[in-house]
Amino acid sequence: MTQVVNEAGFVPGAARAWRKPWRPGRGNGFLLIAPLTLLCALFVVPLALVVVRSFSGPQPGLAQYIEIVSNPSTAWVVLYTFWTALLVTAATLLLSYPVAFTISRAKGRLLTVCLAMVLIPFWTSTVIRTYGWIVILQRRGILNDILVGSGLIDQPLRLMNDGSGMQIAMIHIMLPFMILPLLSAMRGIDANLMRAASVLGANPLRQFVHVYLPMSLPGVSAGCVLVFISSLGFYITPALLGGQRTMIAVLIEQQASRLLNWPLASALATILLVLTSALFIIYERLMARLGGGKPVGEVQ
Amino acid sequence: MRATAGTWPVARWGVLGFTAIVLVYLVIPTLVIMPLSFSSESFLRFPPPGFSMRWYEAFAGSADYRAAILNSIKIGVPAASLATVLGTLAALAVVRGKLPGRRLVGALIIAPLVLPQIILAIGLFPVMIRLGLIGTYPAILLGHTVVCMPLVFITVSSSLRSYAPTFELAAMTLGANPWNTFRFVTLPMIKPGVIVGFIFAFTFSFDELILAMFLTSPATRTVPRLLWEQLNFQMTPVIAAATVVLLVLTMGLLLVAALTERHTRAGRRTEG
Amino acid sequence: MNQHLMADIKRTAASADKIGAIVEFDQVAKSYGAVCALQPTTFQVGAGEFFAVIGPSGSGKSTLLGIVAGFVPPTAGAIRVNGTDVVSLAPYKRNFGMVFQNYALFPHMTVAENIAFPLRMRGVSKADTAERVRRMLGMVRLANYGERRPMELSGGQQQRVALARAAVYDPLLLLMDEPLGALDKNLREEMQEEIKKFQAALGATVIYVTHDQHEAAFMADRIAIMRNGRLEQAAAPRELYERPLTPFVASFLGEATLLPVKEILSQKGEEVVVKTDSGLKICATVRSIAQAGSSICIRPENVVLGAASKCANSFSGVIEEVLYTTGSIRYRVRLADTQTLLTARIPSHPDIALLAHGERVEVGWRRQDALLVSGD
């Protein structure tokens, strides 16, 4: 029941002109004008041009794509890129999971040191880190010095030619991109849940498999997608350490700036764009589920 | 996980040892460069045969490096500033606004950071040629703004999400119009996020190679591009010396960023 | 409350030439798509009135407050403050003061800067601002705390700063959203008294949202009880308790035994005889036309245990539960019809022997203590 109070001059429900109520945050859209203009002009349009150009060239249509698939050397590069990205993602996950687990339980000085050891390489230029790997992995580098010096092998390893050196360096460069999302997922796991599981009689292995692992899965998938996307588009490390093994990004650069074959470079870039966009959309969904929508290597 | 500690100590020590190895793997390539930069010889030999400062002297005396560092600053500061303004605007609209499709807009703004730079590089190259900007400062500066904006967007968004919008509502009931609310309440509250975003953006621009390869000319060559060219032609420890100097600079900046964040977090702990 | 504060309050009251505004809610409604958060609601808050809004969570009380403050745009209706509709005004043009549940004190400003903020927004001169802030700090007994940061203060002190900040510019209307929700019990009671005196001194019109019925009853001139986005009843606390219009109001404010009525046997003026669902015949009082589907409401303190034959309603029952609460004893009595469970509360006294579980007892209540309230 509605209590109606009538006093002088107050007529409930009296018809008066309905004026639009004030709405909070209504005018905020105009804030987006400048950022979106820049983004359209220098991101959306250039990418659209890349896609358009991939269908042009001497023979318009799908010619570039047919060329990529039918030419064994380019097809091989695409497949090898995929294989490397998969390998790097898997290896990174295996190495990162225990590290993230330890850091998520660490406190005080240990936590600071561990985090610094993850974040310093994260923020060091890839060029610089790749240079470090050259010093270590080259034919007369540190690793071969140690291995030959200790008599383990007779001939120095050619790590910079067969792709293995490139993979070692890529795994290293990608580690923080996996550790950070894992950490942010693991920080969110309530330690009481594990205690509850152990009170209920689960041994540590069962606790891990049935409680901890499922709860860390959003972090695992987010990290995997992020590492996979980045690995697909890797340029610096393959160019310096890949030797004869090349990846898509290097091929695009060669086609574009050395061979001036822009249609082919655009087609390769379009393939890369479609793949990474699809993965990025998956990543966005995962981050939305992980909560807060904090993408890209943000730990707090 | 106390239960693990009690019953499965071997597994626990295994995990710890494994972690230690991976962490060493993480820092080794950076650590290796340091002693090399003090080598007395010109070949990359480890351990270095003798100690000298000659590569630092060479670095300090190099006109190429001096020009490249200057270029990197000339590009990085305006690019990071522009990215900071635009990224902050976007974060305000997406986090505090009531727009439909906010998530989509957020994803679009982050995309340039996530998608491989090589795609954007070969996309921007012809556009910049058409605009007659190729090789000039504006070309690379605008390119870097696009890829740095996501970093500011992320840090400012997370600042905005770290406190309830109640503060802004309170300011409004107290008589502050939207501009005053932003100036006196929102901006002071997100200031650490804005500063950290700027530092991240500058660091990113300072390190970015691929766009620089396509969009700069020898006159506007940045540090990463110079390092890259040197790596491809000659491998002397002068690169190591340059690397160490840049590393120290980068880490110094990031330390400032980290301290800014920690300072504000400690300050806000008692707030409802 | 100390002498000093009282003196301060009197001084301020004397200087306050303004008295709070009259606020009229005219068919104010809010819905989110098909979900109705607030049904068309009409009521009035008088000048200088302390008006509390209570109800369970999700009852629409926060929506109501949000609409007044300007955070939630209503889908229909008008809110007139001294005759002017404010619905289309932005919050910063409404000239209301608001105290938030977590105070929302700006952490980057000192206490004095926080209180000065609304004056600064209004372009008040520096000297005038300083004087008004000083006076306000004195009123809330924080004279020496002006240079502190809010986070350096206790919860109760932050509360008082928030109050001072919301009132320093003599707003037309003071809105309070669970302002004491974050404080512990003792402090809360102290602050209730303080806010009440503060309001009286300013002569401000207050709309106060809380989920605590005791707080509302203690502080408010009138209380509105909300349920499912609807205003059930708005009246003075005593009237709400003694003459609830609906079973919900009866049970939400205080404790009540509610007996569903099956049919009205007879009505003569206010006197009515009804038959309950469980078959009991009860003499009751009704304020309006008796309707089917109503309930009988009996307050526990009106139930007589033992010599009940004098009462108009008298039944035999069995004690089913005995509960001692500070100062009183609460019994649950199963009546002979076996379905009705009656709650009785009698003051505790060392001379009174407790009735035991399972004991037979005569219970009763007067006709005027059984109130017929309309259905649902």
Side-chain angles (χ1 to χ4, degrees):
Chain A
M1 177 176 297
T2 304
Q3 175 85 355
V4 177
V5 182
N6 257 310
E7 280 176 30
F10 175 45
V11 187
R16 298 203 191 182
W18 165 248
R19 287 199 287 164
K20 258 195 148 178
W22 187 84
R23 278 164 204 285
R26 180 177 47 179
N28 280 358
F30 81 93
L31 298 175
L32 279 175
I33 293 172
L36 286 186
T37 307
L38 182 86
L39 215 55
C40 272
L42 297 174
F43 182 69
V44 178
V45 169
L47 294 197
L49 288 178
V50 168
V51 177
V52 169
R53 202 175 303 110
S54 76
F55 295 105
S56 64
Q59 311 111 322
L62 290 170
Q64 307 306 328
Y65 295 94
I66 294 166
E67 161 78 12
I68 290 169
V69 177
S70 59
N71 183 336
S73 70
T74 49
W76 190 86
V77 169
V78 173
L79 288 179
Y80 183 71
T81 304
F82 245 93
W83 159 244
T84 306
L86 267 179
L87 185 85
V88 168
T89 307
T92 314
L93 178 62
L94 284 178
L95 294 180
S96 298
Y97 201 94
V99 175
F101 178 80
T102 309
I103 296 178
S104 73
R105 305 278 136 159
K107 287 189 185 75
R109 194 169 293 263
L110 182 68
L111 176 68
T112 313
V113 170
C114 290
L115 266 183
M117 286 173 91
V118 176
L119 288 173
I120 288 175
F122 179 66
W123 281 107
T124 308
S125 149
T126 310
V127 180
I128 291 176
R129 288 195 280 164
T130 307
Y131 173 58
W133 280 112
I134 294 175
V135 173
I136 296 170
L137 297 174
Q138 64 184 317
R139 212 168 115 67
R140 298 184 56 194
I142 301 166
L143 188 68
N144 274 324
D145 274 3
I146 294 171
L147 290 177
V148 176
S150 63
L152 279 170
I153 50 171
D154 300 328
Q155 287 294 312
L157 299 170
R158 293 179 162 271
L159 295 165
M160 286 184 48
N161 271 325
D162 61 1
S164 53
M166 173 186 83
Q167 283 154 0
I168 291 173
M170 277 178 69
I171 292 165
H172 163 258
I173 288 161
M174 286 290 108
L175 272 174
F177 289 91
M178 183 67 87
I179 294 175
L180 297 180
L182 281 179
L183 246 184
S184 91
M186 286 175 177
R187 286 264 180 89
I189 299 177
D190 188 353
N192 286 328
L193 277 175
M194 298 296 277
R195 283 194 205 112
S198 80
V199 168
L200 294 171
N203 69 30
L205 187 65
R206 277 163 167 262
Q207 287 171 30
F208 177 77
V209 172
H210 293 291
V211 182
Y212 200 85
L213 191 61
M215 295 196 68
S216 64
L217 273 186
V220 170
S221 29
C224 284
V225 175
L226 196 58
V227 169
F228 194 76
I229 291 179
S230 308
S231 302
L232 281 181
F234 234 100
Y235 173 78
I236 296 167
T237 314
L240 280 178
L241 284 170
Q244 289 128 8
R245 309 292 180 104
T246 326
M247 289 181 55
I248 290 186
V250 182
L251 192 60
I252 294 174
E253 193 268 336
Q254 284 172 353
Q255 292 294 334
S257 60
R258 288 178 217 177
L259 306 171
L260 300 178
N261 188 350
W262 285 85
L264 188 67
S266 300
L268 284 164
T270 303
I271 294 176
L272 194 54
L273 175 66
V274 169
L275 283 173
T276 47
S277 304
L279 287 166
F280 178 56
I281 290 164
I282 296 171
Y283 174 77
E284 261 295 305
R285 294 265 153 262
L286 287 171
M287 291 316 288
R289 249 179 42 196
L290 202 60
K294 302 180 189 170
V296 196
E298 187 185 329
V299 270
Q300 253 122 56
Chain B
M1 290 228 328
R2 197 152 290 151
T4 315
T7 40
W8 290 34
V10 178
R12 185 167 178 262
W13 285 108
V15 170
L16 276 179
F18 188 84
T19 302
I21 293 170
V22 175
L23 288 176
V24 168
Y25 170 56
L26 265 170
V27 292
I28 262 204
T30 317
L31 288 183
V32 153
I33 300 167
M34 308 262 176
L36 218 56
S37 66
F38 296 103
S39 173
S40 56
E41 296 300 326
S42 63
F43 46 85
L44 300 177
R45 191 71 190 187
F46 205 92
F51 174 89
S52 87
M53 294 295 285
R54 59 185 281 207
W55 303 116
Y56 285 94
E57 284 157 19
F59 169 73
S62 158
D64 280 349
Y65 274 109
R66 206 175 311 143
I69 288 174
L70 212 60
N71 279 339
S72 277
I73 292 171
K74 274 190 207 160
I75 291 158
V77 171
S81 307
L82 199 55
T84 303
V85 173
L86 297 177
T88 304
L89 286 178
L92 281 171
V94 168
V95 178
R96 287 286 191 262
K98 293 264 155 76
L99 307 153
R102 289 189 298 159
R103 238 203 125 67
L104 189 75
V105 174
L108 183 66
I109 291 168
I110 289 166
L113 185 67
V114 180
L115 298 188
Q117 255 98 56
I118 185 79
I119 307 176
L120 185 59
I122 72 158
L124 275 176
F125 182 75
V127 172
M128 290 301 174
I129 287 183
R130 188 81 52 85
L131 294 173
L133 290 174
I134 198 77
T136 66
Y137 288 112
I140 183 68
L141 194 156
L142 289 171
H144 276 180
T145 305
V146 172
V147 290
C148 290
M149 199 167 70
L151 289 163
V152 182
F153 177 79
I154 290 164
T155 56
V156 175
S157 294
S158 97
S159 283
L160 281 170
R161 289 201 180 94
S162 73
Y163 68 94
T166 323
F167 290 106
E168 281 126 23
L169 295 181
M172 283 203 183
T173 63
L174 294 169
N177 61 29
W179 166 246
N180 280 337
T181 302
F182 173 75
R183 196 174 134 214
F184 294 113
V185 178
T186 312
L187 188 60
M189 302 280 287
I190 62 171
K191 201 164 75 187
V194 175
I195 294 173
V196 170
F198 176 85
I199 294 175
F200 280 8
F202 179 76
T203 315
F204 192 92
S205 162
F206 207 84
D207 277 346
E208 201 285 327
L209 171 67
I210 296 164
L211 288 173
M213 275 170 48
F214 279 83
L215 302 179
T216 59
S217 63
T220 54
R221 185 169 59 182
T222 60
V223 175
R225 182 168 171 183
L226 177 64
L227 280 176
W228 180 255
E229 285 169 4
Q230 301 228 325
L231 277 180
N232 278 301
F233 293 115
Q234 39 158 154
M235 282 271 213
T236 61
V238 74
I239 302 170
T243 297
V244 170
V245 171
L246 296 175
L247 204 58
V248 169
L249 286 178
T250 315
M251 290 306 142
L253 268 181
L254 292 169
L255 196 68
V256 172
L259 291 178
T260 314
E261 274 207 309
R262 176 174 301 187
H263 178 72
T264 47
R265 205 166 323 140
R268 205 170 284 166
R269 201 171 299 142
T270 46
E271 282 306 302
Chain C
M1 189 144 317
N2 62 28
Q3 292 288 310
H4 179 67
L5 174 66
M6 285 313 291
D8 244 335
I9 286 175
K10 284 200 189 102
R11 199 178 323 130
T12 316
S15 68
D17 46 297
K18 278 187 204 156
I19 188 112
I22 300 168
V23 186
E24 301 156 18
F25 289 75
D26 187 355
Q27 299 291 326
V28 178
K30 174 68 186 175
S31 53
Y32 297 95
V35 183
C36 180
L38 185 69
Q39 291 182 12
T41 300
T42 300
F43 64 92
Q44 190 182 33
V45 182
E49 188 177 16
F50 197 116
F51 190 86
V53 181
I54 63 174
S57 51
S59 61
K61 56 184 198 298
S62 305
T63 307
L64 187 72
L65 197 74
I67 292 173
V68 185
F71 306 151
V72 180
T75 29
I79 298 171
R80 281 185 284 277
V81 177
N82 285 342
T84 313
D85 188 4
V86 297
V87 161
S88 60
L89 291 181
Y92 49 89
K93 287 181 184 156
R94 295 191 183 193
N95 204 21
F96 300 165
M98 181 151 178
V99 179
F100 292 81
Q101 185 168 9
N102 292 316
Y103 320 132
L105 297 174
F106 305 130
H108 56 282
M109 298 182 193
T110 64
V111 167
E113 284 166 349
N114 263 284
I115 300 175
F117 184 79
L119 301 175
R120 196 169 157 202
M121 291 302 112
R122 285 167 173 74
V124 176
S125 75
K126 274 218 167 80
D128 199 9
T129 300
E131 170 57 24
R132 282 164 82 170
V133 168
R134 196 196 59 76
R135 204 169 62 206
M136 223 51 198
L137 280 170
M139 251 185 102
V140 295
R141 292 184 291 142
L142 290 169
N144 299 321
Y145 289 79
E147 296 316 307
R148 304 267 187 107
R149 297 267 164 178
M151 67 187 87
E152 295 165 352
L153 305 185
S154 70
Q157 289 169 332
Q158 291 187 31
Q159 222 299 307
R160 301 209 294 267
V161 176
L163 204 58
R165 186 179 69 174
V168 68
Y169 49 102
D170 296 324
L172 292 167
L173 173 63
L174 258 180
L175 306 171
M176 302 200 193
D177 183 11
E178 304 261 7
L180 305 179
L183 302 179
D184 62 50
K185 191 168 172 294
N186 289 336
L187 195 54
R188 201 156 62 213
E189 282 168 4
E190 197 181 304
M191 284 305 298
Q192 286 171 5
E193 210 164 317
E194 201 156 323
I195 291 178
K196 187 75 189 119
K197 289 188 177 162
F198 189 80
Q199 182 256 346
L202 294 174
T205 307
V206 170
I207 297 180
Y208 188 102
V209 166
T210 178
H211 64 269
D212 184 339
Q213 41 146 327
H214 299 295
E215 191 170 295
F218 176 75
M219 300 176 80
D221 299 318
R222 278 197 305 150
I223 301 176
I225 296 188
M226 307 275 305
R227 181 201 188 193
N228 294 337
R230 221 162 56 122
L231 179 67
E232 290 262 318
Q233 188 176 357
R238 188 169 171 197
E239 182 175 342
L240 277 183
Y241 186 76
E242 291 171 359
R243 296 177 180 190
L245 287 176
T246 67
F248 177 78
V249 171
S251 58
F252 192 79
L253 203 67
E255 209 179 349
T257 303
L258 290 167
L259 306 174
V261 168
K262 194 173 190 180
E263 62 174 309
I264 317 272
L265 298 176
S266 69
Q267 178 169 14
K268 201 174 79 189
E270 286 203 337
E271 291 176 26
V272 68
V273 180
V274 300
K275 199 168 141 193
T276 66
D277 279 3
S278 58
L280 297 177
K281 212 169 96 181
I282 292 173
C283 302
T285 303
V286 66
R287 304 283 168 205
S288 56
I289 310 289
Q291 297 168 329
S294 312
S295 294
I296 294 290
C297 161
I298 305 152
R299 295 291 182 192
E301 65 270 21
N302 293 334
V303 174
V304 180
L305 287 183
S309 48
K310 277 180 292 192
C311 300
N313 299 291
S314 166
F315 301 95
S316 73
V318 178
I319 302 284
E320 191 154 301
E321 193 184 289
V322 186
L323 212 74
Y324 180 80
T325 59
T326 46
S328 63
I329 304 157
R330 200 166 154 278
Y331 292 105
R332 306 272 272 166
V333 184
R334 171 84 58 192
L335 297 192
D337 68 340
T338 72
Q339 280 178 34
T340 308
L341 202 56
L342 190 73
T343 306
R345 191 168 59 223
I346 56 168
S348 164
H349 191 274
D351 296 342
I352 297 179
L354 280 181
L355 294 167
H357 177 86
E359 205 170 310
R360 291 209 149 269
V361 68
E362 202 181 343
V363 295
W365 58 89
R366 299 183 307 165
R367 182 186 55 76
Q368 55 266 49
D369 290 332
L371 210 63
L372 187 72
V373 293
S374 47
D376 180 29

